Amino acid sequence: MTPNNTADQAAQRAAELRAQLEDANYRYYVLDDPTLADADYDRLLRELEALEAAHPALASADSPTQRVGSVPSGQFAQVRHAVPMLSLGNAFSDEEVADFVRRIEERLDRESPEFSVEPKLDGLAISLRYEHGAFVQGATRGDGATGEDVTANLRTVKAIPMKLRGGDWPALLEVRGEVYMPLAAFKAYNEKAIAEGGKVLANPRNGAAGSLRQLDPRVTAQRPLAFYAYAVGVVAEDYALPASHSATLKRLREWGFPVSAESGVVAGTDGLLGYYRQMGAKRDSLPFDIDGVVYKLDDYAGQREMGFVSRAPRWAIAHKFPAQEQTTVLEGIDIQIGRTGAATPVARLKPVQVAGVVVTNATLHNADQIARLDVRIGDTVIVRRAGDVIPEVARVVPEYRAPDAPQWRMPERCPVCGSEILREEDGVVWRCSGGLTCAAQRKQAVGHFASRRAMDIEGLGDRYIEDLSDLGYVQSVADLYKLELDDLLEMKRRADERDGTTPETVKAGKVATKWAENLIEAIDRSRDTTLERFLFALGIQHVGESTAKALSAWLGDLALIRRLPWPVFKRLPDVGGEVARALGHFFDQPGNQQVIDDLLARGVRAGEAHPPSAKLRDGLNLATLLVDMEIPKVTKIRADQLAAAFGDAQKLLDAPEHAYVTAGLPAESAQALASWLSVDENAQLLTRVGEALARLDALTPAASAAPAAGGPLDGKTAVLTGGLDAMSRDEAKERLEKLGAKVSGSVSKKTGFVVAGSDAGSKLAKAQELGVEVWDEAKLLAFLAEHE
Ligand code: IVH
């Protein structure tokens, strides 16, 4: 092979790779329909990098490899905008929008003209210059006449095409649009910054602006920026753009520019206001921040006739949403105690309107957040409502701080019960140590217990819970089942006396007892429940509905579950170490066992018990549990050796250290095990693990009776991807497993079939690439219906 030949081949391959990578970007950013998995994208990119390194002649500024950022430039050059980058006038009310439309109707002598309508994202306006279809220069808006050359940074924004698609583009084209930071990227960036002790971004807009103005493009490349196009600047003279703005946007999209999927065309004031309301309703669920919508007269002839006033066009206007941020004064910091005792600081604010709602409280998240913001009582603060989340204190205006304002510190005692507030090991969460002696925790535990998805006691609202608890009728959830009609009536009478309200019994005779009868009836009805609701209702830390469901499905029996040591819980699918330990800890508390005993004694029935799953039992043995117990230096291999040599937990406990070595353990592991077992608590745990194994053995039917054996999916591996409407992925997994399938997390040639729900991404692509069978949700449901 001649050198020329290889060089030609390399050039050809490089062109191929660049086309593939740009196509992947286009599908991802413009069509919102990715087909290439991240890993495959990276692989192709690395191949291209290697080729370019080996053949320097192949390097080119618009290669996808340049999107990782080139070396710092020192400072930004100035760019004069040939067509100035204008700003927009604002409308804040329906009347102002109607006036805007009326001015156009009068001047153009037209009725109900058509407008292109678009979201107004809060980012940074930029201009992108393309010559012969290639990106050559990008600039910020600057003062509208002159901006800064941020070409190198814009190359790192993957949503910006480096080469135009198709062929019918003008030789010179300048496209304008907004660079922004999607909310998910903003949140992820800040979470990472917090974890690493770095500086957080104040809002997505600052995120976008700060990132683009980085002198080091490699830093920009680390920031997940996005872009959408909303206008055209200079165009080659010999090129005729379409006659309307909306048609131009469509063409931009064909050339490879992302255009907002939320844009459209409407007519007249009513059309505009309808769009405004529609976007307002959608605002909180969009993946990016918008601060309003933009209306642009759609036809260019009309735009030319309307012209400009100072620096804004008369044919376009921004209709702003009410501000999401406001300034107010922090009057105090209260401590709220959660159901599990977590102490959350809450800002008490001088009431202020934010986005149409009066805000008096805002979350401060935790003590660390307060330290980070350095908020002090009396400070002027900026509160923000973003999405449908609770308002939060975004930042402080330090200029207005009193010079002697002291730093804030977490109080030492719980404001509700006076117990000590202690800092948890992770250092972030502070917790009231009062447990169920703390009225705040107790009331919330009762509220959770009675809630619809737990025991579902209809009519037991927060007010009754407050009174029942404050007046001493209900100290624990089990007390609910002791209540009698007379207790409720007496409680009500005392509460009325306390509040100085006229007793309803006097006012309305019999009607006033109806609520009490209803409540007693609802409490009675709740006695018959399922194991899964019962477990969820107990309010065990980290145990939500899905964990409760898994416990019930796999273990089947409250009498068993409440005696299991924590390592056994770790064997359940989707239960990790933290959840397993929380479960074990809960059942280790005599007080909790007492509550369960009381509930059962008072007639609560936690479903029909069934034997534990044989499948679970299969995976449960001394070796797996030894690994789950996280004994230092006892790895899977060592655990297997120990299990093989000793057979059961008691024998292992009775054996001397040298017997571990005889079993095959290196001296180091043997020593680590011996010292671990010398701690009483650990030896007890191992004893309990042994007992649990014996108990499970006695309860579990022989493996041959397992439902999985002989299933229609025996030996098949399934992969689930995307969301399903009819059930959770966990449920689908469980049901497929019951039919014999093995459910795996990644697609390979050996995969039997892939179930692709909505928004299925790279796994679906991989399946298609490998020719693996793909099921949609309908097919899955049909199959389950037939075989279950
Ligand atoms: S059009 C001549 N369309 O809003 C019209 N601007 O206040 C020029 N913006 O600087 C702008 N989304 O940063 C237009 N769909 C959109 C927009 C939009 C956001 C920003 C842009 C501009 C500012 C004007």
Side-chain angles (χ1 to χ4, degrees):
M1 217 183 277
T2 66
N4 242 345
N5 208 336
T6 34
D8 283 353
Q9 278 172 355
Q12 199 184 344
R13 179 66 185 149
E16 223 171 81
L17 288 167
R18 284 174 190 164
Q20 264 181 306
L21 289 162
E22 285 300 334
D23 195 56
N25 281 342
Y26 174 68
R27 292 188 148 277
Y28 187 90
Y29 290 102
V30 182
L31 302 184
D32 199 12
D33 177 25
T35 46
L36 199 62
D38 286 0
D40 295 329
Y41 184 95
D42 291 343
R43 191 169 45 72
L44 297 180
L45 189 68
R46 276 196 303 274
E47 186 185 340
L48 182 58
E49 273 167 0
L51 266 181
E52 289 176 354
H55 303 271
L58 290 179
S60 116
D62 56 17
S63 172
T65 53
Q66 300 311 302
R67 292 198 188 267
V68 293
S70 52
V71 285
S73 56
Q75 75 177 67
F76 301 111
Q78 302 245 307
V79 176
R80 263 203 91 74
H81 301 300
V83 176
M85 289 183 77
L86 301 170
S87 65
L88 291 171
N90 290 323
F92 293 97
S93 66
D94 292 2
E95 290 70 45
E96 285 171 312
V97 174
D99 288 345
F100 162 72
V101 175
R102 198 172 314 117
R103 285 195 297 271
I104 293 174
E105 286 178 333
E106 281 171 11
R107 192 180 271 245
L108 301 184
D109 195 17
R110 269 199 242 165
E111 246 175 69
S112 202
E114 289 201 328
F115 292 91
S116 173
V117 289
E118 301 156 23
K120 185 172 186 298
L121 264 75
D122 208 8
L124 203 71
I126 54 151
S127 135
L128 306 168
R129 189 179 166 96
Y130 291 82
E131 288 173 10
H132 305 287
F135 174 63
V136 293
Q137 189 179 60
T140 59
R141 175 170 176 270
D143 62 6
T146 316
E148 285 176 321
D149 184 336
V150 285
T151 313
N153 286 343
L154 289 171
R155 282 192 199 284
T156 70
V157 179
K158 289 195 195 144
I160 296 176
M162 291 296 107
K163 277 203 160 69
L164 301 184
R165 301 178 68 84
D168 60 340
W169 23 258
L172 171 63
L173 173 71
E174 190 200 332
V175 172
R176 291 168 178 185
E178 198 88 350
V179 165
Y180 65 99
M181 188 176 263
L183 285 176
F186 170 71
K187 288 203 180 105
Y189 179 91
N190 274 356
E191 269 161 27
K192 190 158 169 255
I194 289 170
E196 293 168 358
K199 221 175 147 186
V200 294
L201 300 169
N203 54 43
R205 196 197 123 74
N206 287 7
S211 306
L212 266 198
R213 299 200 66 262
Q214 280 293 329
L215 283 171
D216 185 346
R218 290 168 300 194
V219 176
T220 314
Q222 300 306 312
R223 311 267 176 99
L225 297 180
F227 168 78
Y228 75 108
Y230 55 63
V232 167
V234 183
V235 185
E237 266 175 28
D238 59 350
Y239 188 88
L241 278 175
S244 72
H245 180 67
S246 57
T248 301
L249 288 183
K250 196 161 160 255
R251 196 161 291 179
L252 287 177
R253 195 162 200 263
E254 286 159 10
W255 287 336
F257 294 96
V259 170
S260 174
E262 308 296 337
S263 54
V265 176
V266 302
T269 308
D270 290 348
L272 297 181
L273 296 180
Y275 177 72
Y276 177 78
R277 309 227 194 293
Q278 188 193 325
M279 290 307 290
K282 249 185 161 178
R283 183 183 190 187
D284 288 350
S285 58
L286 291 172
F288 39 75
D289 242 0
I290 60 178
D291 59 352
V293 291
V294 181
Y295 310 139
K296 298 171 186 167
L297 184 66
D298 197 30
D299 69 293
Y300 287 142
Q303 287 188 4
R304 275 190 295 273
E305 219 177 312
M306 290 303 299
F308 303 87
V309 266
S310 64
R311 291 171 53 213
R314 283 206 196 86
W315 44 265
I317 200 162
H319 191 180
K320 300 292 262 312
F321 291 133
Q324 304 260 86
E325 286 191 348
Q326 279 304 345
T327 308
T328 187
V329 174
L330 178 76
E331 295 186 326
I333 296 178
D334 297 334
I335 298 299
Q336 246 169 34
I337 303 294
R339 176 163 64 80
T340 55
T344 309
V346 177
R348 205 164 0 98
L349 303 168
K350 184 155 169 246
V352 62
Q353 281 249 359
V354 189
V357 174
V358 178
V359 172
T360 51
N361 291 310
T363 176
L364 284 159
H365 300 291
N366 52 47
D368 276 29
Q369 173 76 357
I370 298 184
R372 208 156 34 232
L373 294 170
D374 188 19
V375 193
R376 305 181 188 194
I377 293 170
D379 271 354
T380 297
V381 295
I382 290 165
V383 277
R384 173 167 64 209
R385 273 184 73 217
D388 47 7
V389 296
I390 338 164
E392 62 176 358
V393 172
R395 53 194 185 278
V396 173
V397 187
E399 292 83 348
Y400 297 140
R401 167 171 301 157
D404 53 352
Q407 270 189 340
W408 183 83
R409 288 184 45 193
M410 180 65 86
E412 279 167 21
R413 303 217 158 250
C414 170
V416 179
C417 71
S419 303
E420 247 183 302
I421 293 183
L422 301 172
R423 190 171 200 155
E424 282 207 342
E425 275 165 32
D426 68 4
V428 179
V429 179
W430 294 72
R431 226 175 263 286
C432 157
S433 57
L436 290 180
T437 62
C438 173
Q441 295 182 56
R442 212 166 49 221
K443 287 176 196 170
Q444 289 175 82
V446 175
H448 170 77
F449 182 84
S451 65
R452 204 170 50 78
R453 308 182 82 103
M455 297 299 274
D456 193 17
I457 305 180
E458 216 183 310
L460 187 57
D462 286 350
R463 263 215 44 213
Y464 287 141
I465 294 175
E466 287 268 324
D467 288 344
L468 284 168
S469 170
D470 290 346
L471 298 172
Y473 293 88
V474 171
Q475 301 295 339
S476 96
V477 295
D479 293 344
L480 289 170
Y481 295 96
K482 264 194 341 198
L483 290 173
E484 290 181 11
L485 196 64
D486 286 345
D487 297 325
L488 291 182
L489 294 175
E490 184 189 77
M491 171 207 82
K492 183 83 166 117
R493 188 171 47 70
R494 288 174 55 196
D496 282 340
E497 261 169 36
R498 179 196 58 194
D499 304 339
T501 39
T502 321
E504 282 178 38
T505 30
V506 174
K507 276 194 298 189
K510 196 152 176 48
V511 186
T513 63
K514 192 72 196 149
W515 70 271
E517 285 166 16
N518 286 345
L519 187 52
I520 292 285
E521 220 177 276
I523 292 174
D524 190 39
R525 249 181 289 130
S526 76
R527 281 195 167 89
D528 230 339
T529 187
T530 59
L531 177 54
E532 118 192 22
R533 275 175 176 269
F534 183 89
L535 290 169
F536 174 58
L538 291 176
I540 305 166
Q541 209 180 351
H542 304 308
V543 176
E545 281 178 285
S546 67
T547 305
K549 197 169 179 161
L551 287 164
S552 158
W554 291 86
L555 294 161
D557 186 359
L558 178 63
L560 170 71
I561 293 171
R562 63 189 290 201
R563 305 274 171 233
L564 288 175
W566 70 265
V568 176
F569 295 119
K570 237 178 120 178
R571 286 279 103 208
L572 301 185
D574 300 325
V575 172
E578 202 181 354
V579 181
R581 282 176 196 268
L583 277 159
H585 178 76
F586 180 88
F587 291 121
D588 280 348
Q589 309 304 307
N592 292 333
Q593 291 288 354
Q594 184 63 51
V595 169
I596 296 175
D597 282 339
D598 291 346
L599 286 168
L600 297 177
R602 289 168 197 163
V604 174
R605 287 169 299 273
E608 197 72 44
H610 65 76
S613 130
K615 193 139 182 236
L616 175 71
R617 181 62 191 88
D618 280 352
L620 253 181
N621 51 54
L622 186 57
T624 53
L625 289 171
L626 283 171
V627 175
D628 284 340
M629 285 156 85
E630 296 164 11
I631 306 167
K633 298 213 160 52
V634 176
T635 56
K636 172 92 179 54
I637 306 173
R638 305 302 165 221
D640 283 341
Q641 289 170 329
L642 289 166
F646 299 101
D648 75 45
Q650 199 52 51
K651 294 214 180 86
L652 175 59
L653 273 161
D654 295 341
E657 185 179 329
H658 65 79
Y660 309 153
V661 179
T662 320
L665 260 58
E668 238 195 356
S669 306
Q671 204 179 14
L673 174 61
S675 92
W676 188 83
L677 279 174
S678 70
V679 177
D680 269 357
E681 219 177 288
N682 294 338
Q684 273 164 23
L685 183 66
L686 185 55
T687 308
R688 289 187 55 203
V689 161
E691 286 164 3
L693 276 172
R695 215 182 147 106
L696 279 159
D697 253 344
L699 287 170
T700 314
S704 62
L713 295 175
D714 269 357
K716 278 213 170 178
T717 304
V719 173
L720 297 165
T721 178
L724 299 172
D725 291 331
M727 65 189 95
S728 67
R729 286 231 297 255
D730 280 346
E731 186 184 342
K733 175 168 185 268
E734 204 176 296
R735 290 168 72 175
L736 287 169
E737 282 171 349
K738 280 208 177 119
L739 297 175
K742 187 172 165 282
V743 177
S744 146
S746 59
V747 180
S748 73
K749 274 187 294 197
K750 293 200 188 113
T751 307
F753 60 96
V754 169
V755 179
S758 52
D759 299 327
S762 60
K763 289 181 194 169
L764 173 59
K766 185 91 186 280
Q768 284 162 339
E769 196 183 305
L770 296 173
V772 170
E773 189 178 335
V774 176
W775 292 12
D776 59 10
E777 181 164 1
K779 167 119 200 229
L780 172 70
L781 293 176
F783 188 88
L784 293 175
E786 188 180 338
H787 294 283
E788 281 182 343

